[in-house]
Amino acid sequence: MMLVGGMYVLASRGGQDGASFIMITIAAGLVVYWVWELRKISRPSEQKMPREVEQKDWVYDLIKNNDEMVFVAEVPGPEDQINVRLAAGILRIKGGQNFSKDVQLDLTSEMGISDYKYRNGVLTIKIQKV
């Protein structure tokens, strides 16, 4: 503001033409804009978590047939960190980056995991009667 006031005083001493008033208005606008930008940059921003660690709702698909279920979900890897267990109707999935989920399934006691595959971050589990 002091800069704008100083420019006004200098312009008023120089003469009373409209060009000096336009220059003062443009300069004031630029000063306000740059102060606003600098405050925005210097303000501590919200720290965003990486996409993999970010908390979000976990979505999975469960396809049921008469004697088989197929469970499909996105799970962080790598493949050697994927661990799948089925006990007492609860499917436990563990993956990379401290990923761990329990899913309650409506199963009979004769059903178990027959096969599972992990490709490109997608886990597919086949649960059949054993």
Side-chain angles (χ1 to χ4, degrees), residues 1 27-37:
M1 288 307 225
L30 286 173
V31 166
V32 169
Y33 172 76
W34 283 110
V35 167
W36 181 65
E37 286 294 320

Side-chain angles (χ1 to χ4, degrees), residues 62-82:
L62 183 61
I63 304 161
K64 294 181 183 181
N65 291 332
N66 293 337
D67 58 347
E68 174 182 75
M69 286 186 188
V70 178
F71 181 88
V72 181
E74 184 178 331
V75 177
E79 186 174 357
D80 62 344
Q81 292 183 356
I82 303 297

Side-chain angles (χ1 to χ4, degrees), residues 24-126:
I24 290 172
T25 305
I26 292 172
L30 286 173
V31 166
V32 169
Y33 172 76
W34 283 110
V35 167
W36 181 65
E37 286 294 320
L38 288 173
R39 291 182 85 193
K40 195 165 69 169
I41 290 172
S42 65
R43 188 176 336 148
S45 62
E46 296 177 17
Q47 293 183 356
K48 292 189 177 184
M49 301 172 79
R51 182 174 178 256
E52 295 81 21
V53 180
E54 189 175 284
Q55 296 292 334
K56 64 178 182 179
D57 292 333
W58 186 57
V59 180
Y60 61 86
D61 287 331
L62 183 61
I63 304 161
K64 294 181 183 181
N65 291 332
N66 293 337
D67 58 347
E68 174 182 75
M69 286 186 188
V70 178
F71 181 88
V72 181
E74 184 178 331
V75 177
E79 186 174 357
D80 62 344
Q81 292 183 356
I82 303 297
N83 186 359
V84 178
R85 293 192 180 177
L86 180 63
I90 297 176
L91 179 64
R92 293 183 183 212
I93 302 170
K94 291 185 179 181
Q97 303 168 5
N98 296 323
F99 179 86
S100 178
K101 296 289 182 178
D102 292 344
V103 179
Q104 179 74 36
L105 297 177
D106 188 23
L107 301 174
T108 62
S109 60
E110 303 100 28
M111 296 185 93
I113 296 174
S114 63
D115 186 28
Y116 76 92
K117 295 178 185 175
Y118 182 76
R119 290 204 179 133
N120 297 327
V122 178
L123 178 66
T124 305
I125 304 170
K126 287 186 182 180

